[in-house]
Each structure stands twice: as C-alpha cells, then as structure tokens.
Amino acid sequence: MLKKKSNILLIYTGGTIGMIKDSDTGALRSFDFNNLLTRIPELKILDCDITTISFENPIDSSNMNPKYWVQIAEIIEENYINFDGFVVLHGSDTMSYTASALSFMLEHLSKPVILTGSQLPIGDLRTDAKENLITSIQIAALKQNNTSVIKEVGLYFEYKLYRGNRTTKINAEHFEAFESLNYPHLVESGVHLKVNKKQLLQANHSNSLIVRKNLCTDIVLIKLFPGITELVLKTILSVPDLKGVILETYGAGNCTTEQWFINLISNAIKKGIVIINVTQCSGGSVIMGQYETSTALKKAGVISGHDITTEAAIVKLMYLLGQNINPKEFKTIFETPLRGELTQN
Ligand code: ASP
C-alpha cells in the first residue's frame, strides 16, 4: 500500500521562536510569521505537507489566557479532519499551562498536538528553534499502520517529547527548559526518534473529538509559606464568587496544624469552594494522612492532586468547574486521571 504523506498544520501563536530584536530598543518583539518560514528552508524538504496559520497578532506567552486557549482549540477543531497532526509554536513561559489546557479541552483526541518554542529566536546563530521545530513536525508526522503514533498533547523541547500536562518550565536560561519529573518522556530524539510506546496514551478511534470550551476562572492559587497570616488567608477565601482553590502545600501535602488555618479551610469547603492539595515540590506526590500535618485537610474534604503539576491542576480545576459537575462527584473526578495528568496512589 502506498504510504500517504502526513499533512501537518503549524499554528503560530507567538513567543521567542518568531521574535526579532528591535533595533531601537534592543527588546525582543514578534515579527510576521511568513518570515519564519523563509528562515527555515529545511522545512520544505521534510517528508510531509505543511500548512501554516498564525495568530493575527502573535503574543508573548506571558499574555496567554483562556480566550487564546479557546482560539487554539478552535483552529484545531476546524482543521481536525484535514490534518494528521498539529504543531503549536508558543512561548515557553506559559507553554506548560497551554499544553495542559489543550489536553483537557480536546476530549477523545486521536491525533498529535505538539507544542514547541525556543529559548533563542530563530534568527540567532546559536538558536535552538530549528531543531525544536523540525523534530516536532517529524514527531507529529509519525505514523504506524496509517495512524498517528502520538495521540495526545505533547511538549517538545531540547531532544525530548513530554506529555504536555506533566511538564513544568524549570529553567529560564538553559536550552533544556522543561522537565516532567513525575512521568517519563514519550520520545527521545537522538540519531533516531526513540518512542517510549508503553508510556503513550491510547485513543479510542470510534469516539469523535469533542472540544470543551467552557473554562471557569473563579479560582485562586495559594502557595503556603511559614508565616502566612490568618487575615491573608481569610481575605482570599472570602473573594466573591470564588469556586476553587489550588493549595500548594509542603512535601507530601502537609500544612500547619494551627486551628485558625484548619477552620478557614473547613469553612470554605462547607461554603462549596473546592480545595485541591498539590505539593510545592517539583517531584513526588501528595499523600494526605501520611503525616499528622495533613490529616485535618483530609478530614475537611480537601481533594488530593496526587502527583499533578500546579499548571495542570489549575487548568483541570478551570475545566471541571466549567462542566457543571455534581458537587458530590467532583472529588472522585478530580482525583481520577482524565488525560494521563496524574498517577493515583
Ligand atoms: N517570553 C517568551 C514567551 O514565553 C519566552 C519564550 O518564548 O521562550 O513568549
């Protein structure tokens, strides 16, 4: 049977990868996407067909927000049937959030959506942009038995493809800017592309793509620190319309046992605010009840984020709060892996 060339849609949202230095100020700013392609003639010799689409006004990813996530998801939705894979060029600063968001928004995804970017602009002599872009396209184009090998949202950076919702940006300087400390990488790029098949999400091809666009942003992230005051916590928890809290705790999900703290948390839960426990550590998992300093949280009804990243927890909370889930089922659903974003312990 004749092997069909993969059809890849390259979506440019902004970020360093497509920036140039302003000659007057020296600051990096986005430039016209068409120039990006002229800077990488190698794209023309790849064994796939590439179509490009760009945000009208490309953004630095520090300006990323849920409206842009919907915009990216809609581009994928509108082009889903006509392409075998999607590569999203994105700034690295908030790439892990966008990768997590897309993973939840694109339900029953059975094609690759690969996010990538770079630490240095594409025009820079020492740029990491070319390798990141070219290999991302090759990974998105990978097929076996005429179906895509990757069927999930991935993030490719510096020779590794990670599950997008498992990543965190860990370095603002190194080319190796991302890590996925609680889940192995999916592909490693060396002389050959080494696919870690056992770690890939499998898709049920009989389900068609559903794009979930309703995200609730009435949430807050609270990072605990020794010395946090009752007034600060009380003020945050009484924000009008607050629906969810990501509580970044110490170690395996521990917090102070001071009574005022536990009372504020319990009362917020009684008021209907959902509280998710995630760890401040980059690796490892929340295990509520392992120490006395987390038992009260468990009793109060705090939800365990297990080994989820803060980025994925924030977006999962936005996504689930936007789905009108029965409050009685919310805990069970949050604690269940929906897109491979957490490991239950
Ligand atoms: N500030 C840039 C952005 O996130 C950094 C990058 O592209 O890596 O858009």
Side-chain angles (χ1 to χ4, degrees):
M1 195 166 41
L2 202 68
K3 224 177 102 205
K4 231 182 94 223
K5 264 191 180 182
S6 288
N7 225 352
I8 303 299
L9 183 64
L10 194 59
I11 305 164
Y12 179 59
T13 67
T16 301
I17 193 160
M19 287 186 179
I20 45 162
K21 249 195 189 133
D22 187 294
S23 48
D24 294 333
T25 64
L28 289 171
R29 61 172 172 78
S30 297
F31 76 111
D32 181 12
F33 180 61
N34 296 322
N35 290 342
L36 183 77
L37 291 178
T38 54
R39 282 181 197 264
I40 321 175
E42 294 92 331
L43 289 181
K44 296 192 190 100
I45 54 171
L46 284 175
D47 188 27
C48 54
D49 293 318
I50 302 168
T51 306
T52 58
I53 189 166
S54 171
F55 269 16
E56 205 168 292
N57 297 307
I59 56 163
D60 184 297
S61 80
S62 303
N63 283 319
M64 189 46 72
N65 63 44
K67 284 195 188 122
Y68 289 119
W69 292 338
V70 171
Q71 209 175 314
I72 303 170
E74 282 178 343
I75 294 176
I76 294 172
E77 182 178 33
E78 282 155 21
N79 293 283
Y80 195 68
I81 308 174
N82 298 325
F83 290 88
D84 300 296
F86 303 85
V87 174
V88 181
L89 299 181
H90 192 288
S92 61
D93 288 348
T94 60
M95 197 187 290
S96 294
Y97 292 88
T98 301
S100 301
L102 292 175
S103 77
F104 294 113
M105 294 167 83
L106 303 173
E107 191 169 345
H108 303 317
L109 183 69
S110 61
K111 296 183 179 184
V113 173
I114 313 294
L115 281 91
T116 196
S118 64
Q119 292 281 57
L120 285 175
I122 199 104
D124 196 291
L125 262 187
R126 295 175 50 251
T127 189
D128 51 333
K130 283 193 184 185
E131 199 285 319
N132 285 347
L133 175 57
I134 289 168
T135 310
S136 293
I137 294 173
Q138 286 186 323
I139 290 174
L142 273 186
K143 282 191 173 178
Q144 198 173 32
N145 303 329
N146 260 330
T147 64
S148 301
V149 172
I150 309 294
K151 302 179 177 84
E152 58 181 292
V153 179
L155 185 155
Y156 183 82
F157 228 86
E158 196 60 8
Y159 302 104
K160 288 199 183 96
L161 178 76
Y162 307 96
R163 174 162 302 152
N165 60 29
R166 290 289 196 155
T167 61
T168 303
K169 183 170 180 183
I170 46 118
N171 206 302
E173 160 79 20
H174 293 167
F175 285 141
E176 207 165 337
F178 290 88
E179 240 326 336
S180 160
L181 283 161
N182 286 332
Y183 199 77
H185 54 262
L186 306 179
V187 179
E188 187 162 10
S189 166
V191 174
H192 302 288
L193 289 179
K194 230 164 86 193
V195 182
N196 221 338
K197 285 207 177 117
K198 276 199 275 182
Q199 312 299 342
L200 301 178
L201 276 187
Q202 296 309 321
N204 182 343
H205 290 270
S206 52
N207 290 326
S208 41
L209 181 77
I210 302 174
V211 183
R212 307 280 183 192
K213 299 177 193 171
N214 202 19
L215 299 167
C216 168
T217 51
D218 298 324
I219 66 165
V220 69
L221 166 65
I222 304 174
K223 180 169 185 154
L224 290 191
F225 58 91
I228 188 169
T229 65
E230 182 173 1
L231 179 63
V232 163
L233 190 64
K234 193 171 171 183
T235 309
I236 298 174
L237 292 176
S238 50
V239 165
D241 292 330
L242 184 69
K243 298 195 177 54
V245 176
I246 302 292
L247 190 65
E248 266 201 8
T249 55
Y250 311 122
N254 306 316
C255 64
T256 170
T257 49
E258 284 176 273
Q259 203 51 51
W260 64 263
F261 179 84
I262 304 299
N263 288 346
L264 283 177
I265 297 289
S266 311
N267 290 338
I269 293 173
K270 281 184 199 136
K271 270 195 331 198
I273 296 174
V274 289
I275 303 193
I276 319 292
N277 188 351
V278 303
T279 174
Q280 292 179 11
C281 297
S282 337
S285 184
V286 163
I287 310 173
M288 281 193 285
Q290 186 181 26
Y291 288 90
E292 201 191 344
T293 44
S294 65
T295 308
L297 292 183
K298 193 175 180 180
K299 266 202 204 137
V302 169
I303 296 170
S304 175
H306 297 282
D307 62 351
I308 199 168
T309 61
T310 297
E311 291 87 334
I314 287 172
V315 189
K316 187 172 185 177
L317 187 56
M318 286 184 187
Y319 162 64
L320 291 180
L321 287 173
Q323 300 305 306
N324 283 326
I325 288 168
N326 180 341
K328 283 190 192 133
E329 287 167 21
F330 199 94
K331 183 175 188 304
T332 313
I333 297 178
F334 198 98
E335 292 182 351
T336 305
L338 302 179
R339 313 280 191 268
E341 74 283 3
L342 60 83
T343 321
Q344 277 168 318
N345 40 34

